[in-house]
Amino acid sequence: MMQFNEMGLDPRILKGIQEMGFEQPSPIQEQFIPLFLKKPTDIVGLAQTGTGKTAAFGLPMLQVIDPKNRVPQALIISPTRELCVQIAREISDYAKYLPDISIVPIYGGADIGAQVTALRKGVHIIAATPGRLHDMIRKNKVDLSQVSILVLDEADEMLNMGFQEDVDAILEKTPKTKNTLLFSATMPKEIAAIAKNYMTNPIEIAVGKKGSGAENVEHIYHMVHAKDRYSALKRVMDFVPDIYGIVFCRTRMETNEIASQLIQDGYSAEALHGDLSQAQRDYVMEKFRTKGVQMLIATDVAARGIDVNDLTHIINYNLPDDIENYTHRSGRTGRAGKSGISISIIHMKEQGRIRMIEKGIGKKFLRQPVPTGKVICEKQLMYLIDKLETVTINEEQIEPFLPSVYTKLEALSKEDLIKHFVSLEFNRFIEYYGNTPDLNAPDTHDIRGREGRDGRDGRESRDGRRNSSEGLTQFRLNVGLSQGLIPKDIITFVIDATGSRNVEIGKIELFKSHALVEIDSQAANAFLKNSRGMNFRGSFFDAEVNNPGRDGGDRGYDRSGDRGDRGGRFDRGFRKPEGGGEFKRRDRKKRF
Ligand code: AMP
């Protein structure tokens, strides 16, 4: 296999991608990069997201650009704003050691003025969505006359989304001499027509999706309110009485929490994560392998080495940050010719991520309702009856006890006997699931109004679950406005300290030298424990539960909805949640 350093890439580019954790080229990179570097040419790449196609075109692109000429020399058109931003960010990462090259994303829904200003300053690469770029062309705000490389990314999606006209108009403004690189996951006749009409003797490169997972894995997701995730997990497990699998969590802390909670609730579960000693890990693994425990609650990293063939399910308690990890997770089941099920428990705002994973792995997810209490009770009952039917009877051993048992049960009819026996095992399910609410979240984004709904079952409320208006604990932080603290920083801090993106945050209040934040009481202990030692612009953070009445003031800020854009300014002093998405760039290391 050809290595990156054998392809003729600039050492500064090699340094950039090495820092990103690229070790081996992916198949499309192996074919594409040396080909294009040898002689720039038109190429049609039949490849999906997740194959490494951005680097396939991005790396040679960086190499052929002339940094001294500050005009757009490369143009990448992609169908969505997310993709456009992602491509721009990805290429900027490759170009970390090529500081003279500038890349700008141009997409709809954002301030056009700022984008025009960015263009005016002089850029080498534009990553754009078709609608906005066409708009800029019409307004004469962009000069494409010196574009030498044009990339049409996800061309089939662009056509599906009705961008044909915009794309045509853009293509017309680019020079005939350019090289066109077209990427598409499929090759419908419209794409073939584009290739024929706009490209000159294109070379075709087709790559299969890398590691798209076992063929016989079914991908299912349940959509629930974020706070119902744990209840949903229990239902999934109760619905499959002989489930044998792994629940994937994002952090060690979450892994521990879920495992302890499950054990407390009577499930057969063990945690596996990097904080355990080697001996503890070996013990847990042996127990799991020999089916002494049904469910392993694990982080991605800890589960990497697990080699157990007959897992029935893997459950994504939280979706992983990248497609690669999803593939790894789901690939733990459906092995050795067996079928497997990969279940993801998501909340309403994560549907887009499911779509991304679908694209990445080239498979469709099936949305299924979280089993209702009634369905679970039926399933458990039939399981019990099956066991009753097939149990091995050791005549010899029970013989001596039978006469006294017969005498004791004499008064019961056959029907009553069955009822008694079944109730003995089954009562706990009836008790637990009688009148439980439907956990399925609606399709719309009507979240706030519905989260506080009543009607939970008794056990869930005894577990400390609550309506969204209650159950928050207020913390006092020793940093405030004078240190430049803003609400978004506090959200970052809470997410990092609790290790959970879904932790509920209530009112945030900022004062000169301190701040108040309300967070989900269930996460309070974790927050207290982990917040110590983090630092914010040189000050060590300290959080303590705020005594009621200590602070007045109504300078409250509503929680900013923008949780995705985290500043990441909190340096972890003493610990680093495993697999957390917050400092993604640091731990990203992907292999092909
Ligand atoms: P793409 O198919 O371009 O969307 O890439 C999918 C992901 O794989 C991106 O996060 C890239 O940073 C990453 N990636 C691309 N090429 C490599 C490589 N050779 N080694 C490791 N990761 C890679």
Side-chain angles (χ1 to χ4, degrees), residues 388-470:
L388 192 67
E389 228 183 341
T390 53
V391 67
T392 318
I393 298 172
N394 190 329
E395 302 273 359
E396 230 173 83
Q397 278 191 342
I398 58 166
E399 184 68 48
F401 306 101
L402 285 178
S404 47
V405 174
Y406 288 143
T407 317
K408 213 155 172 31
L409 299 176
E410 220 167 27
L412 294 177
S413 66
K414 181 184 166 194
E415 286 71 28
D416 283 342
L417 195 62
I418 293 174
K419 280 187 211 157
H420 278 242
F421 184 81
V422 165
S423 303
L424 190 69
E425 269 281 305
F426 191 57
N427 273 357
R428 77 181 173 103
F429 281 100
I430 297 277
E431 204 179 291
Y432 180 43
Y433 281 116
N435 297 324
T436 41
D438 180 3
L439 295 186
N440 293 291
D443 270 324
T444 61
H445 282 244
D446 170 28
I447 311 169
R448 273 275 157 199
R450 302 191 62 160
E451 268 186 352
R453 75 197 188 286
D454 292 317
R456 300 184 155 283
D457 57 283
R459 185 157 144 199
E460 279 171 4
S461 11
R462 262 183 274 130
D463 281 349
R465 300 203 156 257
R466 50 171 178 69
N467 294 334
S468 54
S469 54
E470 310 159 10

Coordinates of all heavy atoms in Angstrom, one line a residue, residues 388-470:
L388 N -40.8 -22.1 31.2 CA -41.5 -23.1 32.0 C -41.7 -24.4 31.2 O -41.5 -25.5 31.6 CB -42.9 -22.5 32.3 CG -43.8 -23.2 33.3 CD1 -43.1 -23.1 34.7 CD2 -45.2 -22.5 33.4
E389 N -42.0 -24.1 29.9 CA -42.2 -25.3 29.0 C -41.0 -26.1 28.8 O -41.0 -27.3 28.7 CB -42.7 -24.7 27.6 CG -43.9 -25.3 27.1 CD -44.2 -24.8 25.7 OE1 -43.8 -23.7 25.4 OE2 -45.0 -25.5 25.0
T390 N -39.9 -25.4 28.7 CA -38.7 -26.1 28.2 C -37.7 -26.5 29.4 O -36.6 -27.0 29.1 CB -37.9 -25.3 27.2 OG1 -37.7 -24.0 27.8 CG2 -38.7 -25.1 25.9
V391 N -38.1 -26.1 30.6 CA -37.1 -26.4 31.7 C -36.8 -27.9 31.8 O -37.7 -28.7 31.6 CB -37.7 -25.8 33.0 CG1 -38.9 -26.6 33.5 CG2 -36.6 -25.8 34.1
T392 N -35.6 -28.2 32.2 CA -35.2 -29.6 32.3 C -35.6 -30.0 33.7 O -35.3 -29.4 34.7 CB -33.6 -29.7 32.2 OG1 -33.2 -28.9 31.2 CG2 -33.2 -31.1 32.0
I393 N -36.3 -31.1 33.8 CA -36.8 -31.6 35.1 C -35.9 -32.8 35.5 O -35.7 -33.8 34.8 CB -38.3 -32.0 35.0 CG1 -39.1 -30.8 34.6 CG2 -38.7 -32.7 36.3 CD1 -40.5 -31.1 34.3
N394 N -35.4 -32.6 36.7 CA -34.5 -33.6 37.3 C -35.4 -34.5 38.3 O -35.5 -34.1 39.4 CB -33.3 -33.0 38.0 CG -32.3 -34.1 38.4 OD1 -32.7 -35.2 38.6 ND2 -31.0 -33.7 38.4
E395 N -36.0 -35.5 37.7 CA -37.0 -36.2 38.5 C -36.4 -36.7 39.8 O -37.1 -36.6 40.8 CB -37.5 -37.5 37.6 CG -38.1 -37.2 36.3 CD -39.6 -36.9 36.3 OE1 -40.1 -37.0 37.4 OE2 -40.1 -36.6 35.3
E396 N -35.3 -37.3 39.7 CA -34.7 -37.9 40.8 C -34.5 -37.0 42.0 O -34.8 -37.2 43.1 CB -33.3 -38.5 40.4 CG -33.1 -39.9 40.8 CD -31.8 -40.4 40.3 OE1 -30.8 -40.2 40.9 OE2 -31.9 -41.0 39.1
Q397 N -34.0 -35.8 41.6 CA -33.7 -34.8 42.7 C -34.9 -34.2 43.3 O -35.0 -33.9 44.5 CB -32.8 -33.7 42.1 CG -31.4 -34.2 42.1 CD -30.4 -33.0 41.8 OE1 -30.8 -32.0 41.3 NE2 -29.2 -33.2 42.1
I398 N -36.0 -34.0 42.5 CA -37.2 -33.3 43.1 C -38.1 -34.3 43.8 O -39.0 -34.0 44.6 CB -37.9 -32.4 42.2 CG1 -38.4 -33.1 40.9 CG2 -37.1 -31.2 41.8 CD1 -39.4 -32.3 40.1
E399 N -38.0 -35.6 43.4 CA -38.9 -36.6 43.9 C -39.2 -36.6 45.4 O -40.4 -36.5 45.8 CB -38.3 -38.0 43.5 CG -39.1 -39.2 43.8 CD -40.3 -39.3 43.0 OE1 -40.2 -39.1 41.7 OE2 -41.4 -39.5 43.5
P400 N -38.2 -36.5 46.2 CA -38.4 -36.5 47.7 C -39.2 -35.4 48.2 O -39.9 -35.5 49.2 CB -37.0 -36.5 48.3 CG -36.0 -36.6 47.2 CD -36.7 -36.4 45.9
F401 N -39.2 -34.2 47.5 CA -39.9 -33.0 48.0 C -41.3 -33.0 47.5 O -42.1 -32.2 48.0 CB -39.2 -31.8 47.5 CG -37.7 -31.8 47.9 CD1 -36.7 -32.1 46.9 CD2 -37.3 -31.5 49.2 CE1 -35.4 -32.0 47.3 CE2 -36.0 -31.5 49.5 CZ -35.0 -31.8 48.6
L402 N -41.6 -33.7 46.4 CA -42.9 -33.5 45.8 C -44.1 -33.8 46.7 O -45.1 -33.0 46.6 CB -43.0 -34.4 44.5 CG -42.2 -33.8 43.3 CD1 -42.3 -34.7 42.1 CD2 -42.7 -32.4 43.0
P403 N -44.1 -34.9 47.5 CA -45.3 -35.1 48.3 C -45.8 -33.9 49.1 O -46.9 -33.5 49.1 CB -44.9 -36.3 49.1 CG -43.9 -37.0 48.4 CD -43.1 -35.9 47.6
S404 N -44.8 -33.3 49.8 CA -45.2 -32.2 50.6 C -45.6 -31.0 49.8 O -46.5 -30.2 50.2 CB -44.1 -31.8 51.6 OG -42.9 -31.7 51.0
V405 N -45.0 -30.8 48.6 CA -45.4 -29.7 47.7 C -46.9 -29.9 47.3 O -47.7 -29.1 47.3 CB -44.5 -29.6 46.5 CG1 -45.0 -28.6 45.5 CG2 -43.1 -29.3 46.9
Y406 N -47.2 -31.2 46.9 CA -48.6 -31.5 46.4 C -49.6 -31.2 47.5 O -50.6 -30.6 47.3 CB -48.7 -33.0 46.0 CG -48.0 -33.4 44.7 CD1 -47.3 -34.6 44.5 CD2 -48.0 -32.5 43.6 CE1 -46.7 -34.9 43.3 CE2 -47.4 -32.8 42.4 CZ -46.7 -34.0 42.3 OH -46.1 -34.3 41.1
T407 N -49.2 -31.6 48.7 CA -50.1 -31.4 49.8 C -50.4 -29.9 50.0 O -51.5 -29.5 50.2 CB -49.5 -32.0 51.2 OG1 -48.9 -33.2 50.9 CG2 -50.5 -32.1 52.3
K408 N -49.3 -29.1 49.9 CA -49.5 -27.7 50.1 C -50.3 -27.0 49.1 O -51.1 -26.1 49.3 CB -48.1 -27.1 50.2 CG -48.0 -25.9 51.1 CD -46.7 -25.6 51.6 CE -46.6 -24.4 52.4 NZ -47.5 -23.8 53.1
L409 N -50.2 -27.5 47.9 CA -50.9 -26.8 46.8 C -52.2 -27.5 46.4 O -52.9 -27.1 45.4 CB -50.0 -26.8 45.5 CG -48.7 -26.0 45.7 CD1 -47.8 -26.1 44.4 CD2 -48.9 -24.5 46.0
E410 N -52.6 -28.5 47.2 CA -53.8 -29.3 46.9 C -55.0 -28.4 46.6 O -55.8 -28.7 45.7 CB -54.1 -30.1 48.1 CG -54.5 -31.5 47.8 CD -54.5 -32.4 49.0 OE1 -54.6 -31.8 50.1 OE2 -54.2 -33.6 48.9
A411 N -55.2 -27.4 47.3 CA -56.4 -26.6 47.2 C -56.5 -25.8 45.9 O -57.6 -25.3 45.6 CB -56.5 -25.6 48.4
L412 N -55.4 -25.6 45.3 CA -55.4 -24.8 44.0 C -55.8 -25.6 42.8 O -55.3 -26.7 42.6 CB -54.1 -24.1 43.8 CG -53.6 -23.1 44.9 CD1 -52.2 -22.6 44.5 CD2 -54.5 -21.9 44.9
S413 N -56.7 -25.0 42.0 CA -57.0 -25.6 40.7 C -55.8 -25.5 39.8 O -54.9 -24.6 40.1 CB -58.2 -25.0 40.1 OG -57.9 -23.6 39.7
K414 N -55.9 -26.1 38.6 CA -54.8 -26.0 37.7 C -54.6 -24.5 37.2 O -53.5 -24.0 37.2 CB -55.1 -26.9 36.5 CG -54.0 -26.9 35.4 CD -54.4 -27.7 34.2 CE -53.5 -27.4 33.0 NZ -54.1 -27.9 31.8
E415 N -55.8 -23.9 36.9 CA -55.8 -22.5 36.5 C -55.1 -21.6 37.5 O -54.3 -20.7 37.2 CB -57.2 -22.0 36.2 CG -57.8 -22.5 34.9 CD -58.2 -24.0 35.0 OE1 -58.4 -24.5 36.1 OE2 -58.1 -24.7 34.0
D416 N -55.6 -21.8 38.8 CA -55.1 -21.0 39.9 C -53.6 -21.2 40.0 O -52.8 -20.2 40.3 CB -55.8 -21.3 41.2 CG -57.1 -20.7 41.2 OD1 -57.4 -19.7 40.4 OD2 -58.0 -21.1 42.0
L417 N -53.2 -22.4 39.9 CA -51.8 -22.7 40.1 C -50.9 -22.0 39.0 O -49.9 -21.4 39.4 CB -51.6 -24.3 39.9 CG -50.3 -24.9 40.4 CD1 -50.1 -24.6 41.9 CD2 -50.3 -26.4 40.1
I418 N -51.4 -22.0 37.8 CA -50.7 -21.3 36.8 C -50.6 -19.8 37.1 O -49.6 -19.2 37.0 CB -51.4 -21.5 35.4 CG1 -51.2 -23.0 35.0 CG2 -50.8 -20.6 34.3 CD1 -51.9 -23.4 33.7
K419 N -51.8 -19.2 37.5 CA -51.8 -17.8 37.8 C -50.8 -17.5 38.9 O -50.1 -16.5 38.8 CB -53.2 -17.4 38.3 CG -54.2 -17.2 37.1 CD -55.5 -16.6 37.7 CE -56.7 -17.1 36.9 NZ -57.9 -17.1 37.6
H420 N -50.8 -18.3 40.0 CA -49.9 -18.0 41.1 C -48.5 -18.1 40.6 O -47.7 -17.2 41.0 CB -50.1 -19.1 42.2 CG -51.3 -18.8 43.1 ND1 -51.1 -18.5 44.4 CD2 -52.6 -18.6 42.8 CE1 -52.3 -18.3 45.0 NE2 -53.2 -18.3 44.0
F421 N -48.2 -19.1 39.9 CA -46.8 -19.3 39.5 C -46.3 -18.1 38.6 O -45.2 -17.6 38.8 CB -46.7 -20.6 38.7 CG -45.2 -20.9 38.4 CD1 -44.4 -21.4 39.4 CD2 -44.7 -20.6 37.2 CE1 -43.0 -21.6 39.1 CE2 -43.4 -20.8 36.9 CZ -42.5 -21.3 37.8
V422 N -47.2 -17.8 37.6 CA -46.8 -16.7 36.7 C -46.6 -15.4 37.5 O -45.7 -14.6 37.2 CB -47.8 -16.6 35.6 CG1 -47.7 -15.3 34.8 CG2 -47.7 -17.8 34.6
S423 N -47.6 -15.1 38.4 CA -47.5 -13.9 39.1 C -46.3 -13.7 39.9 O -45.7 -12.6 40.1 CB -48.7 -13.7 40.1 OG -49.9 -13.9 39.3
L424 N -45.8 -14.9 40.4 CA -44.6 -14.9 41.3 C -43.5 -14.2 40.6 O -42.8 -13.3 41.2 CB -44.3 -16.3 41.6 CG -43.2 -16.6 42.6 CD1 -43.7 -16.2 44.0 CD2 -42.8 -18.1 42.6
E425 N -43.2 -14.5 39.3 CA -42.1 -13.9 38.6 C -42.5 -12.6 37.9 O -41.7 -11.7 37.8 CB -41.7 -14.9 37.5 CG -40.7 -15.9 37.8 CD -39.3 -15.2 37.8 OE1 -38.9 -14.7 36.8 OE2 -38.6 -15.3 38.8
F426 N -43.8 -12.5 37.6 CA -44.2 -11.5 36.7 C -44.7 -10.2 37.3 O -44.7 -9.2 36.7 CB -45.3 -12.1 35.8 CG -45.7 -11.3 34.6 CD1 -44.8 -11.0 33.7 CD2 -47.0 -10.9 34.5 CE1 -45.1 -10.2 32.6 CE2 -47.4 -10.1 33.4 CZ -46.4 -9.8 32.4
N427 N -45.0 -10.3 38.6 CA -45.6 -9.2 39.3 C -44.7 -7.9 39.2 O -45.2 -6.8 39.1 CB -45.8 -9.5 40.8 CG -47.2 -10.1 41.0 OD1 -47.9 -10.2 40.0 ND2 -47.5 -10.5 42.2
R428 N -43.4 -8.1 39.3 CA -42.6 -6.9 39.3 C -42.7 -6.2 37.9 O -42.6 -4.9 37.9 CB -41.1 -7.3 39.6 CG -40.3 -7.9 38.6 CD -38.9 -8.2 39.1 NE -38.2 -9.0 38.1 CZ -37.2 -8.4 37.3 NH1 -36.9 -7.1 37.4 NH2 -36.6 -9.1 36.4
F429 N -42.9 -6.9 36.9 CA -43.1 -6.2 35.6 C -44.4 -5.4 35.6 O -44.5 -4.3 35.1 CB -43.0 -7.1 34.4 CG -41.6 -7.4 34.1 CD1 -41.0 -8.6 34.5 CD2 -40.8 -6.5 33.4 CE1 -39.7 -8.9 34.3 CE2 -39.5 -6.8 33.2 CZ -38.9 -8.0 33.6
I430 N -45.5 -6.1 36.0 CA -46.8 -5.5 36.0 C -46.8 -4.3 36.9 O -47.2 -3.2 36.6 CB -47.9 -6.5 36.6 CG1 -48.0 -7.7 35.7 CG2 -49.2 -5.8 36.8 CD1 -48.9 -7.5 34.5
E431 N -46.1 -4.5 38.1 CA -46.1 -3.4 39.0 C -45.3 -2.2 38.4 O -45.7 -1.0 38.5 CB -45.3 -3.9 40.2 CG -45.6 -3.2 41.5 CD -44.7 -3.8 42.6 OE1 -45.0 -5.0 43.0 OE2 -43.8 -3.2 43.0
Y432 N -44.2 -2.5 37.8 CA -43.4 -1.5 37.2 C -44.0 -0.8 36.0 O -44.0 0.4 35.9 CB -42.0 -2.0 36.9 CG -41.1 -1.0 36.3 CD1 -41.0 0.3 36.8 CD2 -40.3 -1.3 35.2 CE1 -40.2 1.2 36.3 CE2 -39.4 -0.3 34.7 CZ -39.4 0.9 35.2 OH -38.5 1.9 34.7
Y433 N -44.5 -1.6 35.1 CA -45.0 -1.1 33.9 C -46.5 -0.7 33.8 O -46.9 -0.2 32.8 CB -44.6 -2.0 32.7 CG -43.2 -1.9 32.3 CD1 -42.3 -2.9 32.5 CD2 -42.7 -0.7 31.8 CE1 -41.0 -2.8 32.1 CE2 -41.4 -0.5 31.4 CZ -40.5 -1.6 31.6 OH -39.2 -1.4 31.2
G434 N -47.2 -1.0 34.9 CA -48.6 -0.7 34.9 C -48.8 0.8 34.7 O -48.1 1.6 35.4
N435 N -49.6 1.3 33.7 CA -49.8 2.7 33.5 C -48.5 3.6 33.2 O -48.5 4.7 33.6 CB -50.5 3.4 34.7 CG -51.8 2.7 34.9 OD1 -52.5 2.4 34.0 ND2 -52.2 2.6 36.2
T436 N -47.5 3.0 32.6 CA -46.4 3.8 32.3 C -46.6 4.7 31.1 O -47.4 4.2 30.2 CB -45.1 2.9 32.0 OG1 -45.5 1.8 31.3 CG2 -44.4 2.5 33.3
P437 N -46.0 5.8 31.0 CA -46.3 6.7 29.8 C -45.6 6.2 28.6 O -44.7 5.4 28.7 CB -45.7 8.0 30.3 CG -44.6 7.7 31.2 CD -45.0 6.4 31.9
D438 N -46.1 6.7 27.5 CA -45.4 6.5 26.2 C -44.1 7.3 26.2 O -44.2 8.5 26.4 CB -46.3 6.9 25.1 CG -45.8 6.7 23.7 OD1 -44.6 6.1 23.6 OD2 -46.4 7.1 22.7
L439 N -43.0 6.7 26.0 CA -41.7 7.5 26.0 C -41.4 8.1 24.7 O -40.4 8.8 24.5 CB -40.6 6.6 26.5 CG -40.6 6.0 27.9 CD1 -39.3 5.3 28.2 CD2 -40.8 7.2 28.9
N440 N -42.1 7.7 23.6 CA -41.7 8.2 22.3 C -41.9 9.7 22.1 O -43.0 10.2 22.5 CB -42.5 7.4 21.2 CG -42.2 6.0 21.2 OD1 -41.0 5.6 20.9 ND2 -43.1 5.1 21.7
A441 N -40.9 10.3 21.6 CA -41.0 11.7 21.4 C -41.7 12.0 20.1 O -41.6 11.2 19.2 CB -39.6 12.3 21.3
P442 N -42.4 13.1 20.0 CA -43.1 13.4 18.8 C -42.1 13.7 17.7 O -41.0 14.0 18.0 CB -44.0 14.6 19.1 CG -43.3 15.2 20.3 CD -42.6 14.1 21.0
D443 N -42.6 13.8 16.4 CA -41.7 14.1 15.3 C -41.3 15.6 15.3 O -40.2 15.9 14.8 CB -42.4 13.8 14.0 CG -42.1 12.4 13.6 OD1 -41.0 11.9 13.9 OD2 -43.0 11.7 13.0
T444 N -42.2 16.4 15.8 CA -41.9 17.9 15.7 C -40.9 18.3 16.8 O -40.5 17.5 17.6 CB -43.2 18.7 16.0 OG1 -43.6 18.3 17.3 CG2 -44.3 18.3 15.0
H445 N -40.5 19.5 16.7 CA -39.5 20.0 17.7 C -40.2 20.7 18.9 O -39.7 21.6 19.5 CB -38.6 21.0 17.0 CG -37.5 20.2 16.3 ND1 -36.2 20.2 16.6 CD2 -37.7 19.3 15.2 CE1 -35.6 19.4 15.7 NE2 -36.5 18.9 14.9
D446 N -41.4 20.2 19.1 CA -42.2 20.8 20.2 C -41.7 20.2 21.6 O -42.3 19.4 22.2 CB -43.7 20.4 20.0 CG -44.6 20.7 21.1 OD1 -44.2 21.7 21.9 OD2 -45.6 20.1 21.3
I447 N -40.5 20.7 22.0 CA -39.9 20.0 23.1 C -40.3 20.6 24.4 O -40.8 19.9 25.3 CB -38.3 20.1 23.0 CG1 -37.9 19.7 21.7 CG2 -37.7 19.2 24.1 CD1 -36.5 20.0 21.4
R448 N -40.1 21.9 24.6 CA -40.2 22.5 25.9 C -41.6 22.2 26.6 O -41.6 21.8 27.7 CB -40.0 24.0 25.8 CG -38.6 24.4 25.9 CD -38.2 24.5 27.3 NE -36.8 24.3 27.5 CZ -36.2 24.0 28.6 NH1 -36.9 23.8 29.7 NH2 -34.9 23.8 28.7
G449 N -42.6 22.4 25.8 CA -44.0 22.3 26.3 C -44.3 20.9 26.8 O -45.0 20.7 27.8
R450 N -43.7 19.9 26.2 CA -44.1 18.6 26.5 C -43.2 17.9 27.6 O -43.6 16.9 28.1 CB -44.1 17.7 25.3 CG -45.1 18.3 24.2 CD -45.3 17.4 23.1 NE -45.9 16.2 23.6 CZ -46.6 15.3 22.9 NH1 -46.7 15.6 21.6 NH2 -47.1 14.2 23.4
E451 N -42.0 18.5 27.8 CA -41.1 17.8 28.7 C -41.6 17.7 30.1 O -41.3 16.8 30.8 CB -39.7 18.4 28.6 CG -38.9 17.8 27.6 CD -37.5 18.3 27.6 OE1 -37.2 19.3 28.3 OE2 -36.6 17.8 26.9
G452 N -42.4 18.6 30.5 CA -42.9 18.6 31.9 C -44.1 17.8 32.1 O -44.8 18.0 33.1
R453 N -44.4 17.0 31.1 CA -45.7 16.3 31.2 C -45.7 15.4 32.5 O -44.7 14.9 32.9 CB -46.0 15.5 30.0 CG -45.2 14.2 29.9 CD -45.3 13.7 28.4 NE -44.7 12.4 28.3 CZ -43.3 12.2 28.4 NH1 -42.5 13.3 28.6 NH2 -42.9 11.0 28.3
D454 N -46.9 15.2 33.0 CA -47.0 14.3 34.1 C -47.3 12.9 33.7 O -47.1 12.5 32.6 CB -48.2 14.8 35.0 CG -47.9 16.2 35.6 OD1 -46.8 16.3 36.0 OD2 -48.8 17.0 35.5
G455 N -47.7 12.1 34.7 CA -48.1 10.8 34.4 C -47.0 9.7 34.3 O -47.1 8.8 33.6
R456 N -45.9 10.0 35.0 CA -44.9 9.0 35.0 C -45.3 7.8 35.9 O -46.1 8.0 36.8 CB -43.6 9.6 35.5 CG -43.2 10.7 34.7 CD -41.9 11.2 35.1 NE -41.2 11.8 34.0 CZ -40.7 11.2 33.0 NH1 -40.6 9.9 33.1 NH2 -40.1 11.8 32.0
D457 N -44.6 6.7 35.7 CA -45.0 5.6 36.6 C -44.3 5.8 37.9 O -43.3 6.5 38.0 CB -44.6 4.3 35.9 CG -43.1 4.3 35.6 OD1 -42.7 4.9 34.6 OD2 -42.4 3.6 36.4
G458 N -44.8 5.1 38.9 CA -44.3 5.3 40.3 C -42.8 5.1 40.4 O -42.2 5.9 41.0
R459 N -42.3 4.0 39.8 CA -40.9 3.7 40.1 C -40.0 4.8 39.5 O -39.0 5.2 40.1 CB -40.5 2.4 39.5 CG -39.1 2.0 39.8 CD -39.0 0.5 39.8 NE -37.7 0.2 39.2 CZ -37.4 -1.0 38.7 NH1 -38.4 -1.9 38.6 NH2 -36.3 -1.3 38.3
E460 N -40.4 5.3 38.4 CA -39.6 6.4 37.8 C -39.5 7.6 38.7 O -38.5 8.2 38.9 CB -40.0 6.7 36.4 CG -39.5 5.7 35.4 CD -40.0 5.8 34.0 OE1 -40.8 6.7 33.8 OE2 -39.7 4.9 33.2
S461 N -40.7 7.9 39.3 CA -40.7 9.1 40.1 C -39.9 8.9 41.4 O -39.2 9.7 41.9 CB -42.0 9.7 40.4 OG -43.0 8.8 40.1
R462 N -40.0 7.6 41.9 CA -39.2 7.3 43.1 C -37.7 7.4 42.8 O -36.9 7.7 43.6 CB -39.6 6.0 43.6 CG -40.6 6.1 44.8 CD -40.9 4.8 45.4 NE -42.0 4.2 44.6 CZ -41.9 2.9 44.2 NH1 -40.9 2.2 44.4 NH2 -42.9 2.4 43.5
D463 N -37.3 7.1 41.5 CA -35.9 7.2 41.2 C -35.4 8.6 41.1 O -34.3 8.9 40.8 CB -35.7 6.6 39.7 CG -35.7 5.1 39.7 OD1 -35.6 4.5 40.8 OD2 -35.8 4.6 38.6
G464 N -36.3 9.5 41.4 CA -35.9 10.9 41.4 C -36.1 11.7 40.1 O -35.6 12.8 39.9
R465 N -36.9 11.1 39.2 CA -37.2 11.8 38.0 C -38.2 12.9 38.2 O -38.9 12.9 39.2 CB -37.6 10.8 36.9 CG -36.6 9.8 36.7 CD -36.7 9.1 35.4 NE -35.5 8.6 35.0 CZ -34.7 9.2 34.1 NH1 -35.0 10.3 33.6 NH2 -33.5 8.6 33.8
R466 N -38.3 13.8 37.3 CA -39.0 15.0 37.7 C -39.5 15.7 36.4 O -39.2 15.5 35.3 CB -38.1 16.0 38.4 CG -36.8 16.1 37.6 CD -35.9 17.1 38.0 NE -34.7 17.1 37.2 CZ -34.7 17.4 35.9 NH1 -35.8 17.9 35.4 NH2 -33.7 17.3 35.2
N467 N -40.3 16.8 36.7 CA -40.7 17.7 35.7 C -39.6 18.7 35.4 O -38.8 18.9 36.3 CB -42.0 18.4 36.1 CG -43.2 17.5 36.3 OD1 -43.2 16.5 35.6 ND2 -44.1 17.9 37.1
S468 N -39.6 19.3 34.3 CA -38.5 20.2 34.0 C -38.4 21.4 34.9 O -37.4 22.0 35.1 CB -38.4 20.6 32.5 OG -39.7 21.1 32.2
S469 N -39.6 21.8 35.5 CA -39.6 23.0 36.3 C -39.0 22.7 37.7 O -38.6 23.6 38.4 CB -41.0 23.4 36.5 OG -41.8 22.4 37.0
E470 N -38.9 21.4 38.0 CA -38.3 21.1 39.3 C -36.9 20.4 39.1 O -36.5 20.2 38.0 CB -39.2 20.1 40.1 CG -40.6 20.5 40.2 CD -41.4 19.3 40.5 OE1 -40.9 18.3 40.8 OE2 -42.7 19.4 40.4

